[in-house]
Amino acid sequence: MRREFPRNLLEQDAIEEDIRARAATFFHPSGTCRMGSDPTAVVDPQLRVRGIQGLRIADASIMPAALNACTHAPTIMIGEKAAAMIAEDS
């Protein structure tokens, strides 16, 4: 595959434009609402959002760090565990 680069590679704006046009992510989004016991965690160990009563998060966003693998199976397990915790609280 032949890649064509901008002719004016010496211009910073052209370089940034080229990077923005070609950049992509291959990681599964996760870790944006980190779970934990410390004050910086968004979600507590029972998946409750700190400071918002009645709201839980049960998806890949609660993982404390990005995985270097598929997030499908762990996310299903997070959902299963969330369902069990919600059933216990009812």
Side-chain angles (χ1 to χ4, degrees):
M1 177 180 197
R2 185 167 184 253
R3 296 174 68 174
E4 293 189 25
F5 294 94
R7 296 184 192 277
N8 51 353
L9 277 178
L10 297 178
E11 295 180 24
Q12 185 67 28
D13 290 342
I15 295 170
E16 288 179 16
E17 183 180 330
D18 185 61
I19 290 170
R20 290 182 202 288
R22 296 173 192 265
T25 179
F26 295 100
F27 296 103
H28 299 283
S30 62
T32 56
C33 294
R34 188 176 66 80
M35 177 181 67
S37 300
D38 60 285
T40 63
V42 176
V43 179
D44 72 12
Q46 285 73 43
L47 308 179
R48 297 178 297 223
V49 176
R50 295 183 191 279
I52 302 177
Q53 187 175 358
L55 179 63
R56 295 184 197 234
I57 296 179
D59 63 18
S61 65
I62 68 159
M63 295 177 186
L67 297 179
N68 201 11
C70 181
T71 58
H72 181 76
T75 303
I76 289 174
M77 294 309 300
I78 290 168
E80 292 286 336
K81 183 65 176 172
M85 287 190 283
I86 292 168
E88 282 180 16
D89 289 350
S90 297

